[in-house]
Amino acid sequence: MNPLLLLADPVQTETLPVTQIIIEYVVYAAIIVVGILILLLIRRKMRLPRHADLRKMLTDFTALLAAFSKTAVSLPRLKYLKNISNLLYRLDKLIYTADRMAEKERDGELESISLLLGQARAEIAAYKFGARGADDKEGLAVAQQKMAESIALLDRILDRDAQLRKNRS
């Protein structure tokens, strides 16, 4: 029997068995718990990194870029394009993260990091689209320089954070 029909017709005196009611409540509770767990996972995934974590991500990318620039000439064309695409993908993620952090914190220096990363991306993208050849390392050197500038700027932000923590206490 449908429980909604029982509510609509008060004349009926038939009730649901207790076990069926308990099972329904357990199912509802399970649905709520699963929904909360999904929301927590989404929140964890969308959480922005701390400044120190962003610095680590930038240094990892810089090391990857330096390793690629050393081996770029000797790679076959398909592997070369695959590595360039991987670099661009990782750099896009870094740009997005830095931009979201700058927007959340309303920090102009983080926005400058995002702009420097965008300039480095433009230099690397030239290799993917054929504007530069594999033997032309000038664009990769400029991209490495932009990455070094962004890391230096992030170091200034970390120093500023340490100074603010020291002043607060």
Side-chain angles (χ1 to χ4, degrees):
M1 186 108 201
N2 190 351
L4 293 177
L5 290 176
L6 290 176
L7 291 175
D9 190 13
V11 176
Q12 260 183 339
T13 58
E14 182 182 331
T15 60
L16 292 175
V18 176
T19 56
Q20 185 178 358
I21 293 174
I22 291 174
I23 290 173
E24 285 182 10
Y25 281 123
V26 167
V27 168
Y28 294 149
I31 290 172
I32 291 171
V33 167
V34 168
I36 289 173
L37 289 175
I38 289 172
L39 289 175
L40 288 174
L41 288 174
I42 290 172
R43 182 178 178 198
R44 177 184 240 183
K45 185 69 176 169
M46 297 302 292
R47 183 177 49 101
L48 292 173
R50 295 182 309 238
H51 292 157
D53 296 336
L54 180 63
R55 186 186 190 292
K56 183 182 181 322
M57 291 173 10
L58 288 174
T59 54
D60 290 346
F61 181 80
T62 303
L64 187 67
L65 182 61
F68 173 75
S69 67
K70 290 178 185 174
T71 61
V73 177
S74 64
L75 291 175
R77 184 71 178 159
L78 185 62
K79 190 161 184 129
Y80 172 79
L81 287 175
K82 184 178 176 183
N83 285 345
I84 287 288
S85 296
N86 184 24
L87 285 173
L88 288 174
Y89 172 74
R90 290 184 68 176
L91 193 52
D92 282 339
K93 282 177 52 176
L94 283 173
I95 292 169
Y96 176 73
T97 301
D99 198 38
R100 280 191 51 216
M101 287 176 71
E103 184 178 319
K104 180 183 177 201
E105 297 177 15
R106 299 188 189 280
D107 190 355
E109 289 181 338
L110 279 171
E111 185 66 33
S112 297
I113 290 173
S114 178
L115 290 174
L116 285 170
L117 294 175
Q119 293 169 1
R121 188 200 185 285
E123 293 293 332
I124 295 172
Y127 290 96
K128 181 177 181 180
F129 300 119
R132 291 183 187 257
D135 54 345
D136 183 11
K137 292 190 176 191
E138 182 182 335
L140 292 175
V142 171
Q144 286 178 338
Q145 178 186 4
K146 296 292 182 186
M147 293 302 297
E149 289 176 25
S150 65
I151 290 173
L153 193 54
L154 191 56
D155 285 338
R156 283 198 337 223
I157 292 172
L158 288 171
D159 292 341
R160 180 192 68 194
D161 290 348
Q163 184 68 27
L164 286 174
R165 261 183 263 138
K166 190 171 96 175
N167 289 345
R168 191 180 326 156
S169 58

